[in-house]
Amino acid sequence: MQCLLFSILLWLSLAFTCASGEIHYHEFVIQATPVKRLCEMHNIITVNGLFPGPTLEVRNGDTLVIKAINQAIYNVTLHWHGIRQLRTAWADGPEFVTQCPIRPGESYIYRFTIEGQEGTLWWHAHSMWLRATVYGALIIYPEEGSIYPFTMPKREFPILLGQWWNRDPNDVLRQAMITGAAPNISDAFTINGQPGDLYDCSSQETTVIPVVYGETNLFRFINAAMNNELFIAIAGHLMTVVAADAAYTKPFTTPVLMLGPGQTTDVLVTTTQAPGRRYYIAAQAYASAQGVPFDNTTTTAILQYVSAACPTATRTSPSVFPPLFPALPAFNDTQTAAAFSAGIRSPSPVDVPDPVDEHLFFTVGLGLFNCQPNQLCGGPNGTRFTASMNNVSFVLPQTVSILQASYLGAEGVFTDDFPPAPPIQFDYTASNISQDLQQPVPGTKVYKLKYGSVVQVVLQGTNIVAGEEHPMHVHGYQFYVLATGFGNYNPATDPAGFNMVDPPQRNTVGVPVNGWAVIRFVADNPGVWLVHCHLDVHIVWGLAMAFLVENGVGELQAVEPPPIDLPLC
């Protein structure tokens, strides 16, 4: 077995000789691991027995070769969130979209090169609800000899925000899919895997971050929570935002962050407070849907000032002062959430792609399926919850992935007739939308894009069932966010407000509650790329679609052939 692994790695080394950077080899063993949280022992699914999982550290231009070995009881895939995957869509990871899942007892080697990206990304499972515990940071440093475009930090800290259930998360999902009701809300949020001081049986393991007075440090925040956007603040400290979604930003200082699931934000924090004191880093939900239950607890970590001669700390390090608590916005403070997002801009003027070849208008929101015979229907008024884009509730295939079907020309797996606009125009954000508009149509539909085309998408939130901010993630691309707003998008007047000077680049954009966002990108990456809400409860209900970007001219504008070890369904 070791000889076989060596042969594979040697073949991969030869395959990547054209890459200018270093090649990093990793083995990810997906396995059950016993952990204790909130006073109870649980067997959770982890990578290499770690929760959160291993942090991957690379440089722009490096190549990652990761062998995923599935020793768990569930099928699994891994997604490298935000990585462009130029021509390597087979490594993107969403199950039944770019690959069949890795079955228990089997393995798959993910291989891809980092091209033109720097900053904080992350990786996570993309099967069922496994990403609740299967996730980790992916940090991309500048190329050798390059530096950050901001003050060089003394130290760097990845801060992963997560969500915890006192049950197997897949059991929570299964119960919801059987009953048609919303899934049970979580029992806690976490920072680097720990709930923090405000939860039962948790204070001894609270995450502690040691800092020294007078230093400037880089905090890499990642929202890995399943179903909640989060406000974050540090008591007694301001944060200077310098990057988001692995793209540098124009620096701005703020007392609070707001991250949707999938988003990352890098901030500089200067330690100006009294030595020997402790300060809470706290996070709690931004819950924009009115009347919808949510986890209203608060997770904490401790920023602890230590001596420069001994720059380590533990939860039990002596201090006569209790940690100070930061001011956090109210759970429904949409104004603060919108103001934070609006502050993120590119650091200098950019060349926004123009003119537009594809003008697309996608509604995003919830829906309801009428109850069918022999079904449990725990949704409103005896219905089942669903979700859709342009009234199509996305259904994953089960026998082959969409990318495989496209590559092989297999018929009957998907159709390429995803609508460029909703089939019926209506007042998308009205308070009393007709029940006739609440029933989407199930389908496995993609929208075809020609290689090199300039694509503009208006993402319009709806108030069907409940309006809510949707963190929309586009696989395989970084896009410019030209504008966001509330209410219905107006094509006659709203383009005048587009930021065509320094719009931010993101891979996940928050579509404001009962509002809209406009994104633009060049379809320069062939393959099948999932577009979905990163609230996992919404994606399993069908709030997704996929772009099928056609090959261009020649080998360098075409998807690579499938790997020899691509999993079978």
Side-chain angles (χ1 to χ4, degrees), residues 79-402:
H79 171 53
W80 319 94
H81 185 109
I83 295 293
R84 286 292 316 272
Q85 298 289 1
L86 293 168
R87 301 183 57 236
T88 53
W90 306 104
D92 191 44
E95 67 174 356
F96 298 114
V97 177
T98 60
Q99 68 167 98
C100 295
I102 307 167
R103 298 173 180 174
E106 299 184 356
S107 65
Y108 177 50
I109 297 176
Y110 293 92
R111 40 195 175 267
F112 53 90
T113 298
I114 313 297
E115 299 185 52
Q117 294 184 274
E118 297 176 11
T120 304
L121 295 174
W122 62 302
W123 58 266
H124 60 82
H126 216 297
S127 303
M128 301 178 291
W129 273 18
L130 288 176
R131 84 165 180 87
T133 56
V134 179
Y135 63 87
L138 199 171
I139 297 171
I140 308 170
Y141 298 107
E143 293 177 337
E144 197 74 50
S146 299
I147 61 174
Y148 296 135
F150 48 78
T151 301
M152 187 67 182
K154 182 70 173 179
R155 280 175 282 185
E156 302 185 10
F157 303 101
I159 309 292
L160 293 98
L161 307 166
Q163 198 161 8
W164 177 266
W165 278 263
N166 263 338
R167 294 176 60 193
D168 183 332
N170 281 329
D171 288 342
V172 177
L173 172 62
R174 271 193 290 265
Q175 177 181 331
M177 300 307 290
I178 290 171
T179 64
N184 292 342
I185 62 173
S186 57
D187 295 291
F189 296 112
T190 60
I191 296 178
N192 291 352
Q194 295 293 342
D197 286 357
L198 305 186
Y199 297 91
D200 291 340
C201 308
S202 300
S203 61
Q204 291 304 309
E205 285 77 35
T206 295
T207 297
V208 177
I209 298 170
V211 295
V212 174
Y213 175 80
E215 292 181 348
T216 296
N217 298 310
L218 182 66
F219 288 71
R220 300 175 179 271
F221 284 96
I222 301 166
N223 187 352
M226 294 290 287
N227 294 320
N228 285 99
E229 299 188 299
L230 294 169
F231 287 122
I232 306 105
I234 306 176
H237 296 76
L238 295 175
M239 297 171 281
T240 299
V241 176
V242 293
D245 288 2
Y248 295 121
T249 65
K250 193 175 269 100
F252 73 97
T253 300
T254 175
V256 64
L257 312 178
M258 199 290 289
L259 277 71
Q263 293 182 323
T264 71
T265 301
D266 296 353
V267 302
L268 294 174
V269 177
T270 300
T271 49
T272 58
Q273 299 299 314
R277 296 296 297 264
R278 298 179 296 163
Y279 303 84
Y280 275 130
I281 303 171
Q284 65 185 29
Y286 164 52
S288 56
Q290 294 186 11
V292 175
F294 66 97
D295 184 341
N296 197 22
T297 62
T298 303
T299 182
T300 57
I302 294 175
L303 193 71
Q304 182 158 315
Y305 280 64
V306 297
S307 166
C310 185
T312 60
T314 67
R315 180 63 182 85
T316 57
S317 295
S319 174
V320 297
F321 303 106
L324 298 179
F325 202 87
L328 285 164
F331 72 87
N332 58 354
D333 190 344
T334 293
Q335 182 177 356
T336 294
F340 173 76
S341 297
I344 298 177
R345 294 171 176 264
S346 289
S348 57
V350 299
D351 186 12
V352 178
D354 202 52
V356 174
D357 301 304
E358 294 273 5
H359 286 273
L360 304 175
F361 187 98
F362 293 170
T363 56
V364 295
L366 304 185
L368 300 170
F369 280 143
N370 288 332
C371 199
Q372 302 300 315
N374 301 317
Q375 278 188 326
L376 295 175
C377 298
N381 302 314
T383 59
R384 295 177 61 87
F385 277 109
T386 184
S388 71
M389 297 178 65
N390 278 359
N391 204 48
V392 178
S393 186
F394 191 70
V395 178
L396 291 170
Q398 297 295 312
T399 58
V400 66
S401 75
I402 298 174

